[in-house]
Structures are given as C-alpha cells and as structure tokens.
C-alpha cells in the first residue's frame, strides 16, 4: 500500500483494508458532487480575485472543474475509494486533468469548511424540495376539499362516530398541517443559509481571503461568524431532519386514514389503480400499499433524526470524523420524504370519494346527539348538562326502538322533554 498523496508526506504506508472500509465515504458523499464543484469554483474565483493564485491557474482550475461536472453528468467520472471522499476524488481527478495547478485549489481551505459548505448547499435544496412537495400535496387536498365541500362524513373522536363533518373540512385539516410543515422547512432553509468557507480547519486562515465573495457566489446570505462553529455545527441538518420527521408523521396520519377508508368495512374511498396493488392469491383484493409504505417510512425519517442527534450529542469542538456520519441520515430521510410527498399528492389527487358510504356511516352511532342537546339549550333554555342528559335518554330510547336518533318519533322525544317540537328535525 502506498501512502495517500493528499497527506502522505509523513506516512510511509497506506491504510489497511479495514481502515479504508471504515473511513471511506465516497459511496454516499458522491451525492454532494455538484455542491462540491460549485464550492470549489467559488473558492478558486475568490483566490484569483485576491491575487492568492494567478489567473492562469484559476482559469485552468475552472476548466478542469467544468470537465469534471460534465463527467459526473455523463456518468463517466471515475469514483475511487482510495481517495476516500468526494472532495479528494474531485481534487485527484482535477490533478489528472490539469496537472500541478490543481494543487493550488486547496489554498486557504480545509475539507472541514468544504464539507460543511457542501452539506449546507445540499440541505438548502432539500428544504426547497420539501416545500415544493408539500405545496403539491396541499393543492391536491384543496381540489378534493372544493369538490367535497358538501359531502357529509362522520367525524370521529376515539375512532367512534362523534359529529357529522364534511370531507372537505377533513381535507382542510391536513392542508393546515402541511402549511406548518412548509413553514418549518422554510425556517430551516433560511437559518442554514450562511457560508462556512474561510473557517478552514477550525481557526480560519491567514490568507487575505474574501469570505463575502464566496458566500455571495454560492447564494448564502453571509459568511458564518465563528470559524469553530462553522466547521462543527450540524444543527442545520438536525432542523431539516426534525422538520422531515414531523412532516412524515403528519403524512402518516393521513396514510392511516386512507388505509382505513379504503377498506370495504368503511368503503369511504376508492384508490386509483395507479396507487393500489392486487393479491397473488385473493383476486378480490385491492391493497393500499402506497399508503402503508408512507406510514412505515416515517420510521426511517425519524430514525435518521435520532441517529444524527446521537452522533452530535457528545462531540467536542471542533471537527471530529464522527461528522462524516451526518450525510447518510440526511440522504435517507430526504429520499423517503420526497417519495412520500409525491405518493400522497398522487393518492389524494386520484382518490375517488364515495359520498353514499360516508353518508350512511354518518347516520350510524347517533352523531346528532350533540345537536339535539344544543337545540334544547337554544330553543328551550335548558342548561347544557340537563340537555345532555335528555339527549342521552333519547339515544337510549332510539336504540331500544332500533332507529337512529334523527328518526326517533316526536312523541317519544316529547316524553323526555315536552318542549321538543317539530322544528327539532
Ligand atoms: N469526508 C469528510 C466528512 O465527510 C470530510 C472532512 C474530513 N476532514 C478531516 N479532518 N478528516 O466529514
């Protein structure tokens, strides 16, 4: 094994195979390639503008980075595990393409501020994607809500019929949840938008760099104030994961409802073929697998949050290699969330509602009992507690007679309270 050429100066041997296995991150951090190249472009341009590297080298670095971006786009970039991570893979390739000038790119920079910058850029996009996905989901809910503004369904508490509501009302509850979720991603995306570049390993750099220029070029609002914070903070990723976990939990609640509603026992909705599966043994089946998987993937998203929070909790300042473990959590959660949002938006958009089944269910379980009590308060000036007791007796009587409360004859109601009149119905 030969020593690593990025730091091999004082090493005589290379890593053991096990060391390489535990240390390498290229298998997953290749997903930061675009962000890494953009960060290097901004850094090289700034170094040239400050006269820290000359224009000829800066131009050749820029051309080499453009060639690497093209290779990545075409799938021809040679990812190599011996170069550990995306940063060293890009730099090694750059040196193959442009020669010694590549060695000037890492002036006034460390992989520590580099990776922190890359991940902020990636999470910024993930926040924007989540906001977008939530907006699509809200649009699907709004369309159904408008279509079913007058579709009566039972509202439940404790999963027991409580009071009649409309399907529109029910859908709009999820629009509100999604709105708060969107707000959380917006907040996280805004708060993370500061640039770590220039923090170098942890203590900043003595080169006369221009942190404002790199921050601006990368679309950050400003450079981060504290260099030790810049390289070691990952609470921006935790905020994204927390928002993702809450959003996934909210989606999971609706997924659970779709799962119940699509069961013939409820029959409230019919899922489109596009979001159902059949059974290999039971021909009648129409399974809501997508809803079930949205519900299940919540575990993966929450698990990612817990995993990263656990990585962070005992870390002294500043950078520790533990932080390399941040990425898989972020990627796993983002993949699951993006997919869940798309699946829920698709299911909601294509859901067929069965108003007759909803109406039938809304009539069982005497859901108008509260309305009867409220009528007694409003029209007969009864105290609510007394009205509640009268209505409860009416429910008991309806059950004896085998009818629903709204069909209990007036004569029966009058026995319970003579003030009850025809208008009650
Ligand atoms: N692959 C590393 C990571 O993801 C890059 C930073 C390495 N820094 C270091 N001091 N070894 O965190």
């Amino acid at each position: 094994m030969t020593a690593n050429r990025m730091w091999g100066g004082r090493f005589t041997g290379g890593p053991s195979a096990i060391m390489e296995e535990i240390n390498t991150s290229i298998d997953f951090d290749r997903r930061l390639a675009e962000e890494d190249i953009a960060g290097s472009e901004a850094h090289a341009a700034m170094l040239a503008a400050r006269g820290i590297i000359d224009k000829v080298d800066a131009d050749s670095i820029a051309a080499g980075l453009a060639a690497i971006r093209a290779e990545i786009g075409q799938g021809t970039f040679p990812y190599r595990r011996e170069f550990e991570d995306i940063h060293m893979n890009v730099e090694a390739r750059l040196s193959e393409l442009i020669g010694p000038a590549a060695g000037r790119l890492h002036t006034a920079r460390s992989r520590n501020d580099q990776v922190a910058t890359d991940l902020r850029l990636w999470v910024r996009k993930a926040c924007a994607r989540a906001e977008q996905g939530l907006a699509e989901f809200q649009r699907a809910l709004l369309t159904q809500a408008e279509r079913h503004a007058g579709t009566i369904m039972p509202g439940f508490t404790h999963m027991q019929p409580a009071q009649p509501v409309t399907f529109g009302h029910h859908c709009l509850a999820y629009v509100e949840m999604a709105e708060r979720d969107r707000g959380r991603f917006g907040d996280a995306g805004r708060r993370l938008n500061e640039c770590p570049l220039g923090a170098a390993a942890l203590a900043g750099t003595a080169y006369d760099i221009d942190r404002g220029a790199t921050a601006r070029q990368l679309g950050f609002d400003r450079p981060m104030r504290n260099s030790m914070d810049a390289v070691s903070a990952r609470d921006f990723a935790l905020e994204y994961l927390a928002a993702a976990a809450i959003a996934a939990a909210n989606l999971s609640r609706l997924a659970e409802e779709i799962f119940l509603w699509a069961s013939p026992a409820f029959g409230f909705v019919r899922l489109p073929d596009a979001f159902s599966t059949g059974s290999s043994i039971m021909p009648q089946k129409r399974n809501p697998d997508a809803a079930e998987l949205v519900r299940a993937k919540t575990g993966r998203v929450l698990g990612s949050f817990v995993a990263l929070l656990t990585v962070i909790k005992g870390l002294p300042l500043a950078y520790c290699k533990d932080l390399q473990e941040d990425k898989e959590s972020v990627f796993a959660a983002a993949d699951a969330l993006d997919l869940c949002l798309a699946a829920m938006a698709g299911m909601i958009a294509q859901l067929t509602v069965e108003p007759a089944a909803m109406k039938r269910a809304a009539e069982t379980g005497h859901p108008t009992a509260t309305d009867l009590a409220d009528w007694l308060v409003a029209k007969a000036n009864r105290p609510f507690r007394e009205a509640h007791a009268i209505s409860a007796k009416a429910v008991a009587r309806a059950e004896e007679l085998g009818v629903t409360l709204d069909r209990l004859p007036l004569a029966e109601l009058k026995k319970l309270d003579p003030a009850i009149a025809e208008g009650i119905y």
Side-chain angles (χ1 to χ4, degrees):
M1 276 268 169
T2 49
N4 183 305
R5 66 179 151 119
M6 300 292 172
W7 59 68
R10 60 181 283 266
F11 284 63
T12 51
S16 83
I18 295 167
M19 179 59 196
E20 184 174 296
E21 184 64 26
I22 196 169
N23 206 32
T24 188
S25 56
I26 188 62
D27 296 340
F28 49 87
D29 69 13
R30 59 175 65 190
R31 293 182 66 174
L32 296 176
E34 175 49 41
E35 291 73 20
D36 198 68
I37 292 168
S40 288
E41 286 170 338
H43 183 66
M46 179 279 290
L47 291 177
R50 286 302 224 187
I52 299 168
I53 64 175
D54 70 33
K55 176 94 172 68
V56 176
D57 287 342
D59 287 347
S60 117
I61 288 171
L65 290 170
I68 290 172
R69 178 181 281 117
E71 289 182 344
I72 288 168
Q74 289 151 13
T76 56
F77 182 84
Y79 293 102
R80 282 168 294 191
R81 299 186 95 210
E82 69 266 29
F83 294 126
E84 221 182 285
D85 58 23
I86 185 63
H87 325 295
M88 295 203 291
N89 267 271
V90 169
E91 195 182 323
R93 183 69 184 138
L94 189 63
S95 105
E96 285 168 3
L97 293 175
I98 69 167
R104 301 201 182 271
L105 173 60
H106 213 53
T107 313
R109 185 176 76 168
S110 154
R111 279 186 295 155
N112 297 351
D113 57 344
Q114 192 178 353
V115 71
T117 303
D118 293 2
L119 193 63
R120 276 179 196 263
L121 290 171
W122 201 95
V123 174
R124 189 172 75 187
K125 285 185 206 156
C127 287
R129 263 199 325 274
E131 285 188 76
Q132 187 61 40
L134 282 160
E136 293 283 321
F137 172 56
Q138 287 178 306
R139 270 191 285 277
L141 286 164
L142 278 171
T143 304
Q144 290 287 12
E146 272 166 8
R147 198 175 293 152
H148 294 287
T151 302
I152 306 290
M153 72 178 281
F156 298 91
T157 59
H158 311 265
M159 206 59 213
Q160 304 289 318
Q163 293 184 288
V165 295
T166 64
F167 187 63
H169 190 169
H170 200 118
C171 288
L172 290 177
Y174 285 99
V175 172
E176 296 296 320
M177 287 185 233
E179 187 65 17
R180 289 190 295 274
D181 286 326
R182 233 151 51 87
R184 276 182 280 270
F185 286 110
D187 289 345
R190 267 186 297 280
R191 197 157 27 249
L192 68 73
N193 203 30
E194 298 184 329
C195 188
L197 281 181
L202 76 165
T205 172
Y207 293 96
D208 185 23
I209 57 170
D210 181 352
R211 300 189 65 209
T214 41
R216 262 191 311 281
Q217 182 165 340
L218 294 168
F220 287 114
D221 295 330
R222 64 191 79 85
M224 289 184 77
R225 274 195 294 262
N226 183 299
S227 65
M228 294 182 72
D229 178 47
V231 294
S232 60
R234 292 295 183 275
D235 48 284
F236 71 91
L238 286 171
E239 285 195 4
Y240 168 75
L241 291 172
I246 296 170
N250 283 340
L251 289 178
S252 179
R253 298 181 73 175
L254 180 55
E256 165 74 9
E257 302 216 77
I258 291 173
F259 170 82
L260 292 172
W261 295 340
S263 158
F266 278 77
F268 287 4
V269 300
R270 188 178 162 84
L271 281 173
D273 288 358
F275 286 98
S276 314
T277 60
S279 157
S280 55
I281 173 169
M282 297 164 284
Q284 84 285 10
K285 293 275 277 194
R286 205 180 164 73
N287 296 330
D289 295 39
E292 294 163 74
L293 289 164
V294 166
R295 191 174 56 185
K297 282 183 194 293
T298 309
R300 196 184 285 254
V301 179
L302 176 58
S304 300
F305 169 72
V306 174
L308 183 55
L309 188 56
T310 310
V311 167
I312 303 296
K313 74 166 266 299
L315 283 191
L317 297 185
Y319 179 87
C320 297
K321 195 60 173 268
D322 310 50
L323 291 174
Q324 178 162 286
E325 292 276 313
D326 56 2
K327 296 164 208 53
E328 285 164 294
S329 294
V330 169
F331 297 154
D335 290 344
L337 181 69
D338 292 348
L339 191 52
C340 288
L341 282 169
M344 288 303 284
M347 270 187 282
I348 292 298
Q350 297 180 43
L351 204 67
T352 308
V353 172
E354 303 287 356
M358 287 185 173
K359 182 91 193 311
R360 248 188 331 275
E363 285 163 357
T364 60
H366 315 291
T368 56
T370 310
D371 297 309
L372 171 53
D374 286 340
W375 188 93
L376 287 166
V377 170
K379 300 280 157 63
N381 196 29
R382 304 281 180 244
F384 184 77
R385 283 292 160 227
E386 200 181 302
H388 182 286
I390 295 165
S391 180
K393 284 188 189 132
V395 168
R397 185 66 184 137
E399 282 181 346
E400 275 167 22
L401 298 176
V403 294
T404 55
L405 180 61
D406 58 314
R407 300 223 160 78
L408 190 63
L410 191 58
E412 292 291 337
L413 288 167
K414 278 188 175 297
K415 281 189 219 158
L416 298 170
D417 188 331
I420 298 179
E422 185 64 44
I424 187 71
Y425 293 101

PDB file of all heavy atoms in Angstrom, residues 1 4 7 11 13-25 81-82 84 111 321 324:
ATOM      1  N   MET A   1       0.830  -1.207   0.000  1.00  0.00           N
ATOM      2  CA  MET A   1       0.000   0.000   0.000  1.00  0.00           C
ATOM      3  C   MET A   1       0.863   1.255   0.000  1.00  0.00           C
ATOM      4  O   MET A   1       1.790   1.382   0.787  1.00  0.00           O
ATOM      5  CB  MET A   1      -0.861   0.033   1.278  1.00  0.00           C
ATOM      6  CG  MET A   1      -2.139  -0.762   1.142  1.00  0.00           C
ATOM      7  SD  MET A   1      -3.424   0.330   0.580  1.00  0.00           S
ATOM      8  CE  MET A   1      -4.688  -0.870   0.198  1.00  0.00           C
ATOM      9  N   ASN A   4      -1.165   7.924   1.053  1.00  0.00           N
ATOM     10  CA  ASN A   4      -2.115   8.814   0.400  1.00  0.00           C
ATOM     11  C   ASN A   4      -1.396  10.063  -0.081  1.00  0.00           C
ATOM     12  O   ASN A   4      -0.648  10.689   0.662  1.00  0.00           O
ATOM     13  CB  ASN A   4      -3.198   9.187   1.433  1.00  0.00           C
ATOM     14  CG  ASN A   4      -4.280  10.057   0.841  1.00  0.00           C
ATOM     15  OD1 ASN A   4      -3.999  11.103   0.274  1.00  0.00           O
ATOM     16  ND2 ASN A   4      -5.513   9.599   0.979  1.00  0.00           N
ATOM     17  N   TRP A   7      -1.949  13.611   1.874  1.00  0.00           N
ATOM     18  CA  TRP A   7      -1.248  13.947   3.128  1.00  0.00           C
ATOM     19  C   TRP A   7      -0.093  13.000   3.388  1.00  0.00           C
ATOM     20  O   TRP A   7       0.453  12.936   4.461  1.00  0.00           O
ATOM     21  CB  TRP A   7      -2.217  13.885   4.314  1.00  0.00           C
ATOM     22  CG  TRP A   7      -2.852  12.540   4.489  1.00  0.00           C
ATOM     23  CD1 TRP A   7      -2.237  11.375   4.863  1.00  0.00           C
ATOM     24  CD2 TRP A   7      -4.215  12.213   4.286  1.00  0.00           C
ATOM     25  NE1 TRP A   7      -3.124  10.349   4.904  1.00  0.00           N
ATOM     26  CE2 TRP A   7      -4.366  10.839   4.555  1.00  0.00           C
ATOM     27  CE3 TRP A   7      -5.346  12.962   3.907  1.00  0.00           C
ATOM     28  CZ2 TRP A   7      -5.588  10.186   4.441  1.00  0.00           C
ATOM     29  CZ3 TRP A   7      -6.551  12.296   3.814  1.00  0.00           C
ATOM     30  CH2 TRP A   7      -6.655  10.924   4.081  1.00  0.00           C
ATOM     31  N   PHE A  11       3.669   9.854   5.971  1.00  0.00           N
ATOM     32  CA  PHE A  11       3.221   8.466   6.093  1.00  0.00           C
ATOM     33  C   PHE A  11       4.100   7.577   5.222  1.00  0.00           C
ATOM     34  O   PHE A  11       4.433   7.956   4.105  1.00  0.00           O
ATOM     35  CB  PHE A  11       1.766   8.319   5.635  1.00  0.00           C
ATOM     36  CG  PHE A  11       0.754   8.825   6.620  1.00  0.00           C
ATOM     37  CD1 PHE A  11       0.711  10.170   6.970  1.00  0.00           C
ATOM     38  CD2 PHE A  11      -0.164   7.959   7.198  1.00  0.00           C
ATOM     39  CE1 PHE A  11      -0.231  10.650   7.880  1.00  0.00           C
ATOM     40  CE2 PHE A  11      -1.104   8.434   8.109  1.00  0.00           C
ATOM     41  CZ  PHE A  11      -1.138   9.774   8.453  1.00  0.00           C
ATOM     42  N   GLY A  13       3.263   4.162   4.939  1.00  0.00           N
ATOM     43  CA  GLY A  13       2.390   3.113   4.399  1.00  0.00           C
ATOM     44  C   GLY A  13       0.979   3.629   4.203  1.00  0.00           C
ATOM     45  O   GLY A  13       0.628   4.709   4.673  1.00  0.00           O
ATOM     46  N   GLY A  14       0.176   2.858   3.485  1.00  0.00           N
ATOM     47  CA  GLY A  14      -1.223   3.221   3.273  1.00  0.00           C
ATOM     48  C   GLY A  14      -2.094   2.579   4.336  1.00  0.00           C
ATOM     49  O   GLY A  14      -1.604   1.883   5.215  1.00  0.00           O
ATOM     50  N   PRO A  15      -3.386   2.818   4.259  1.00  0.00           N
ATOM     51  CA  PRO A  15      -4.308   2.273   5.253  1.00  0.00           C
ATOM     52  C   PRO A  15      -4.534   0.781   5.045  1.00  0.00           C
ATOM     53  O   PRO A  15      -4.376   0.282   3.933  1.00  0.00           O
ATOM     54  CB  PRO A  15      -5.590   3.046   4.972  1.00  0.00           C
ATOM     55  CG  PRO A  15      -5.522   3.404   3.531  1.00  0.00           C
ATOM     56  CD  PRO A  15      -4.081   3.584   3.218  1.00  0.00           C
ATOM     57  N   SER A  16      -4.877   0.088   6.104  1.00  0.00           N
ATOM     58  CA  SER A  16      -5.282  -1.310   5.962  1.00  0.00           C
ATOM     59  C   SER A  16      -6.632  -1.338   5.251  1.00  0.00           C
ATOM     60  O   SER A  16      -7.334  -0.320   5.189  1.00  0.00           O
ATOM     61  CB  SER A  16      -5.399  -1.976   7.332  1.00  0.00           C
ATOM     62  OG  SER A  16      -6.658  -1.687   7.893  1.00  0.00           O
ATOM     63  N   ALA A  17      -6.965  -2.511   4.753  1.00  0.00           N
ATOM     64  CA  ALA A  17      -8.244  -2.618   4.039  1.00  0.00           C
ATOM     65  C   ALA A  17      -9.415  -2.264   4.955  1.00  0.00           C
ATOM     66  O   ALA A  17     -10.378  -1.623   4.531  1.00  0.00           O
ATOM     67  CB  ALA A  17      -8.411  -4.042   3.509  1.00  0.00           C
ATOM     68  N   ILE A  18      -9.283  -2.647   6.222  1.00  0.00           N
ATOM     69  CA  ILE A  18     -10.378  -2.337   7.159  1.00  0.00           C
ATOM     70  C   ILE A  18     -10.449  -0.836   7.409  1.00  0.00           C
ATOM     71  O   ILE A  18     -11.531  -0.250   7.462  1.00  0.00           O
ATOM     72  CB  ILE A  18     -10.191  -3.106   8.487  1.00  0.00           C
ATOM     73  CG1 ILE A  18     -10.321  -4.614   8.222  1.00  0.00           C
ATOM     74  CG2 ILE A  18     -11.218  -2.672   9.532  1.00  0.00           C
ATOM     75  CD1 ILE A  18      -9.856  -5.474   9.378  1.00  0.00           C
ATOM     76  N   MET A  19      -9.302  -0.207   7.522  1.00  0.00           N
ATOM     77  CA  MET A  19      -9.279   1.246   7.706  1.00  0.00           C
ATOM     78  C   MET A  19      -9.944   1.930   6.517  1.00  0.00           C
ATOM     79  O   MET A  19     -10.753   2.846   6.682  1.00  0.00           O
ATOM     80  CB  MET A  19      -7.826   1.717   7.857  1.00  0.00           C
ATOM     81  CG  MET A  19      -7.691   3.227   8.023  1.00  0.00           C
ATOM     82  SD  MET A  19      -8.589   3.833   9.468  1.00  0.00           S
ATOM     83  CE  MET A  19      -8.638   5.586   9.112  1.00  0.00           C
ATOM     84  N   GLU A  20      -9.616   1.466   5.324  1.00  0.00           N
ATOM     85  CA  GLU A  20     -10.215   2.082   4.139  1.00  0.00           C
ATOM     86  C   GLU A  20     -11.737   1.894   4.161  1.00  0.00           C
ATOM     87  O   GLU A  20     -12.496   2.817   3.879  1.00  0.00           O
ATOM     88  CB  GLU A  20      -9.627   1.468   2.864  1.00  0.00           C
ATOM     89  CG  GLU A  20     -10.153   2.144   1.613  1.00  0.00           C
ATOM     90  CD  GLU A  20      -9.467   1.661   0.332  1.00  0.00           C
ATOM     91  OE1 GLU A  20      -8.250   1.878   0.202  1.00  0.00           O
ATOM     92  OE2 GLU A  20     -10.163   1.068  -0.511  1.00  0.00           O
ATOM     93  N   GLU A  21     -12.138   0.697   4.569  1.00  0.00           N
ATOM     94  CA  GLU A  21     -13.566   0.384   4.603  1.00  0.00           C
ATOM     95  C   GLU A  21     -14.334   1.294   5.577  1.00  0.00           C
ATOM     96  O   GLU A  21     -15.408   1.797   5.249  1.00  0.00           O
ATOM     97  CB  GLU A  21     -13.741  -1.096   4.999  1.00  0.00           C
ATOM     98  CG  GLU A  21     -15.157  -1.615   4.994  1.00  0.00           C
ATOM     99  CD  GLU A  21     -15.797  -1.602   3.608  1.00  0.00           C
ATOM    100  OE1 GLU A  21     -15.061  -1.673   2.598  1.00  0.00           O
ATOM    101  OE2 GLU A  21     -17.042  -1.505   3.549  1.00  0.00           O
ATOM    102  N   ILE A  22     -13.738   1.498   6.761  1.00  0.00           N
ATOM    103  CA  ILE A  22     -14.480   2.309   7.749  1.00  0.00           C
ATOM    104  C   ILE A  22     -14.376   3.797   7.428  1.00  0.00           C
ATOM    105  O   ILE A  22     -15.262   4.584   7.775  1.00  0.00           O
ATOM    106  CB  ILE A  22     -14.012   2.015   9.212  1.00  0.00           C
ATOM    107  CG1 ILE A  22     -15.047   2.546  10.208  1.00  0.00           C
ATOM    108  CG2 ILE A  22     -12.618   2.571   9.499  1.00  0.00           C
ATOM    109  CD1 ILE A  22     -14.817   2.093  11.631  1.00  0.00           C
ATOM    110  N   ASN A  23     -13.314   4.180   6.739  1.00  0.00           N
ATOM    111  CA  ASN A  23     -13.010   5.596   6.550  1.00  0.00           C
ATOM    112  C   ASN A  23     -13.645   6.189   5.291  1.00  0.00           C
ATOM    113  O   ASN A  23     -13.905   7.381   5.226  1.00  0.00           O
ATOM    114  CB  ASN A  23     -11.495   5.750   6.463  1.00  0.00           C
ATOM    115  CG  ASN A  23     -11.037   7.130   6.893  1.00  0.00           C
ATOM    116  OD1 ASN A  23     -11.647   7.744   7.756  1.00  0.00           O
ATOM    117  ND2 ASN A  23      -9.963   7.607   6.288  1.00  0.00           N
ATOM    118  N   THR A  24     -13.886   5.345   4.321  1.00  0.00           N
ATOM    119  CA  THR A  24     -14.309   5.879   3.031  1.00  0.00           C
ATOM    120  C   THR A  24     -15.762   6.361   3.087  1.00  0.00           C
ATOM    121  O   THR A  24     -16.604   5.766   3.757  1.00  0.00           O
ATOM    122  CB  THR A  24     -14.145   4.829   1.919  1.00  0.00           C
ATOM    123  OG1 THR A  24     -14.402   5.456   0.672  1.00  0.00           O
ATOM    124  CG2 THR A  24     -15.107   3.675   2.090  1.00  0.00           C
ATOM    125  N   SER A  25     -16.019   7.457   2.395  1.00  0.00           N
ATOM    126  CA  SER A  25     -17.401   7.957   2.341  1.00  0.00           C
ATOM    127  C   SER A  25     -17.847   8.199   0.896  1.00  0.00           C
ATOM    128  O   SER A  25     -18.970   8.626   0.670  1.00  0.00           O
ATOM    129  CB  SER A  25     -17.534   9.250   3.158  1.00  0.00           C
ATOM    130  OG  SER A  25     -16.615  10.218   2.714  1.00  0.00           O
ATOM    131  N   ARG A  81     -12.409   4.634  -4.327  1.00  0.00           N
ATOM    132  CA  ARG A  81     -12.491   4.532  -2.866  1.00  0.00           C
ATOM    133  C   ARG A  81     -11.174   4.903  -2.198  1.00  0.00           C
ATOM    134  O   ARG A  81     -11.169   5.357  -1.061  1.00  0.00           O
ATOM    135  CB  ARG A  81     -12.922   3.129  -2.442  1.00  0.00           C
ATOM    136  CG  ARG A  81     -14.285   2.754  -2.983  1.00  0.00           C
ATOM    137  CD  ARG A  81     -14.728   1.423  -2.433  1.00  0.00           C
ATOM    138  NE  ARG A  81     -15.583   1.607  -1.261  1.00  0.00           N
ATOM    139  CZ  ARG A  81     -15.671   0.739  -0.260  1.00  0.00           C
ATOM    140  NH1 ARG A  81     -14.941  -0.347  -0.262  1.00  0.00           N
ATOM    141  NH2 ARG A  81     -16.482   0.959   0.730  1.00  0.00           N
ATOM    142  N   GLU A  82     -10.060   4.707  -2.896  1.00  0.00           N
ATOM    143  CA  GLU A  82      -8.790   5.052  -2.235  1.00  0.00           C
ATOM    144  C   GLU A  82      -8.669   6.563  -1.995  1.00  0.00           C
ATOM    145  O   GLU A  82      -7.887   6.996  -1.173  1.00  0.00           O
ATOM    146  CB  GLU A  82      -7.575   4.488  -2.982  1.00  0.00           C
ATOM    147  CG  GLU A  82      -7.288   5.121  -4.327  1.00  0.00           C
ATOM    148  CD  GLU A  82      -7.929   4.352  -5.500  1.00  0.00           C
ATOM    149  OE1 GLU A  82      -8.986   3.711  -5.293  1.00  0.00           O
ATOM    150  OE2 GLU A  82      -7.364   4.403  -6.606  1.00  0.00           O
ATOM    151  N   GLU A  84     -11.058   8.217  -0.690  1.00  0.00           N
ATOM    152  CA  GLU A  84     -11.873   8.430   0.497  1.00  0.00           C
ATOM    153  C   GLU A  84     -13.217   9.110   0.254  1.00  0.00           C
ATOM    154  O   GLU A  84     -14.248   8.509   0.452  1.00  0.00           O
ATOM    155  CB  GLU A  84     -11.077   9.266   1.515  1.00  0.00           C
ATOM    156  CG  GLU A  84     -11.253   8.800   2.935  1.00  0.00           C
ATOM    157  CD  GLU A  84     -10.486   9.696   3.910  1.00  0.00           C
ATOM    158  OE1 GLU A  84      -9.239   9.561   3.952  1.00  0.00           O
ATOM    159  OE2 GLU A  84     -11.117  10.498   4.608  1.00  0.00           O
ATOM    160  N   ARG A 111     -10.904  20.461   4.189  1.00  0.00           N
ATOM    161  CA  ARG A 111     -12.112  19.691   3.901  1.00  0.00           C
ATOM    162  C   ARG A 111     -13.198  19.979   4.930  1.00  0.00           C
ATOM    163  O   ARG A 111     -14.373  19.713   4.687  1.00  0.00           O
ATOM    164  CB  ARG A 111     -11.795  18.190   3.873  1.00  0.00           C
ATOM    165  CG  ARG A 111     -11.191  17.726   2.568  1.00  0.00           C
ATOM    166  CD  ARG A 111     -11.038  16.226   2.562  1.00  0.00           C
ATOM    167  NE  ARG A 111     -10.078  15.790   3.556  1.00  0.00           N
ATOM    168  CZ  ARG A 111     -10.072  14.583   4.116  1.00  0.00           C
ATOM    169  NH1 ARG A 111     -10.984  13.678   3.800  1.00  0.00           N
ATOM    170  NH2 ARG A 111      -9.155  14.253   5.009  1.00  0.00           N
ATOM    171  N   LYS A 321     -14.303  13.196  13.089  1.00  0.00           N
ATOM    172  CA  LYS A 321     -14.689  12.379  11.937  1.00  0.00           C
ATOM    173  C   LYS A 321     -16.097  11.818  12.087  1.00  0.00           C
ATOM    174  O   LYS A 321     -16.737  11.440  11.109  1.00  0.00           O
ATOM    175  CB  LYS A 321     -13.672  11.249  11.721  1.00  0.00           C
ATOM    176  CG  LYS A 321     -13.760  10.567  10.344  1.00  0.00           C
ATOM    177  CD  LYS A 321     -13.521  11.553   9.191  1.00  0.00           C
ATOM    178  CE  LYS A 321     -13.430  10.907   7.838  1.00  0.00           C
ATOM    179  NZ  LYS A 321     -12.091  10.551   7.409  1.00  0.00           N
ATOM    180  N   GLN A 324     -18.725  12.815   9.647  1.00  0.00           N
ATOM    181  CA  GLN A 324     -18.893  12.200   8.326  1.00  0.00           C
ATOM    182  C   GLN A 324     -20.188  11.389   8.254  1.00  0.00           C
ATOM    183  O   GLN A 324     -20.739  11.157   7.178  1.00  0.00           O
ATOM    184  CB  GLN A 324     -17.689  11.305   8.017  1.00  0.00           C
ATOM    185  CG  GLN A 324     -17.780  10.586   6.693  1.00  0.00           C
ATOM    186  CD  GLN A 324     -16.417  10.069   6.236  1.00  0.00           C
ATOM    187  OE1 GLN A 324     -15.578  10.845   5.810  1.00  0.00           O
ATOM    188  NE2 GLN A 324     -16.195   8.769   6.361  1.00  0.00           N
TER     189      GLN A 324
END
